[in-house]
Amino acid sequence: MALAMARPWKHPKTGVFYLRVKVPRDVVSVFGTELVKQSLRTKDEAAAKSEHTARLAELHKRWAQLRTGVQSLSHRQVEALAGEVYQAIFATYPGDMRNWIIGAHTGIHLVVPRRKRR
């Protein structure tokens, strides 16, 4: 018996292709849902197949990371990540970093320019 390959699902009314995949049982509790349904934002079958393959690979990668859990980093790895974060922040907010306050909150903007005192 042949296994069915995952393929894009075409919405019967709109004709737009979707990615529809059942989440593996071992990661459902961590992932938060039993079914992933994402629009591929195309009606072209060839483009849908390409996008479906890319998104499915990304999902499988994410599920594998969820299975491994939290991993400890070496001091060298922490320094490397800090350097990457510094470069990304500096590219987004150029200027003197001594005038910045780094927030401990989550969100899009982690760095906010410090307000000048009067």
Side-chain angles (χ1 to χ4, degrees):
M1 182 175 162
L3 294 174
M5 296 290 292
R7 61 182 185 268
W9 174 78
K10 187 176 183 179
H11 192 280
K13 291 184 181 178
T14 64
V16 175
F17 285 94
Y18 282 80
L19 165 80
R20 287 182 56 144
V21 183
K22 285 185 79 173
V23 177
R25 288 183 188 158
D26 60 333
V27 294
V28 167
S29 62
V30 180
F31 196 72
T33 185
E34 294 181 5
L35 180 70
V36 174
K37 182 179 174 186
Q38 298 175 351
S39 172
L40 299 176
R41 298 179 185 217
T42 185
K43 293 182 180 183
D44 179 43
E45 188 172 0
K49 285 181 180 181
S50 173
E51 184 67 22
H52 184 272
T53 303
R55 289 195 191 187
L56 188 60
E58 192 64 36
L59 273 174
H60 283 286
K61 181 179 173 183
R62 189 169 174 195
W63 293 335
Q65 291 171 343
L66 289 173
R67 285 184 182 108
T68 59
V70 178
Q71 297 179 349
S72 298
L73 298 177
S74 69
H75 182 71
R76 187 175 200 165
Q77 289 172 317
V78 170
E79 285 181 342
L81 285 173
E84 289 181 23
V85 170
Y86 173 84
Q87 289 176 353
I89 290 172
F90 194 76
T92 305
Y93 302 99
D96 186 2
M97 290 201 62
R98 291 177 291 179
N99 294 328
W100 295 355
I101 299 171
I102 299 181
H105 58 80
T106 59
I108 297 172
H109 300 289
L110 296 176
V111 178
V112 180
R114 185 178 292 168
R115 294 181 183 159
K116 294 182 180 181
R117 294 182 184 173
R118 295 181 196 188

